[in-house]
Amino acid sequence: PAYPTLAESAGIEGKVRLRFDVRADGSTENVRVVESSPPLIFDAVALYAVSSWQYVAKTPAESQQVVLRFDLPDELAAPETAK
C-alpha cells in the first residue's frame, strides 16, 4: 500500500490488522480493521489495498486475517520508532 504522506514526513511507522472474506471470484469483501497502531493513521490505505486484492485460487474463504506493516527506512523513521 501507499505510505500516507503525513505519516512518512513525520517518521511514523505502524501496523494494521484486517479481517476479510474471499469471494468465489477471488475478490475480497467485508474488509474491516480489527486493530491498528497508531490508531487511524494507516487504516484507509490498508483498507483500500486489501479491498483491491485478487486471489488466484478463487476458493471462497471467510474471516481471513492479515497484518500490514508500515515501516520506514531507519534514516526516515522518527527517533522513538526507529529500530
Side-chain angles (χ1 to χ4, degrees):
Y3 214 99
T5 305
L6 293 176
E8 183 176 18
S9 63
I12 299 171
E13 297 181 314
K15 64 181 179 179
V16 181
R17 181 181 311 273
L18 302 113
R19 191 173 300 275
F20 59 94
D21 301 328
V22 178
R23 298 176 54 184
D25 67 358
S27 64
T28 59
E29 67 179 354
N30 301 320
V31 182
R32 58 229 178 254
V33 173
V34 175
E35 68 177 300
S36 59
S37 175
L40 305 175
I41 302 287
F42 301 100
D43 293 11
V45 294
L47 285 166
Y48 179 79
V50 174
S51 293
S52 66
W53 287 358
Q54 184 70 34
Y55 282 81
V56 177
K58 297 184 181 176
T59 302
E62 293 183 5
S63 200
Q64 301 301 300
Q65 187 168 284
V66 65
V67 174
L68 299 181
R69 293 187 53 87
F70 293 85
D71 295 325
L72 289 168
D74 287 343
E75 63 271 10
L76 295 178
E80 62 274 5
T81 62
K83 298 176 202 81

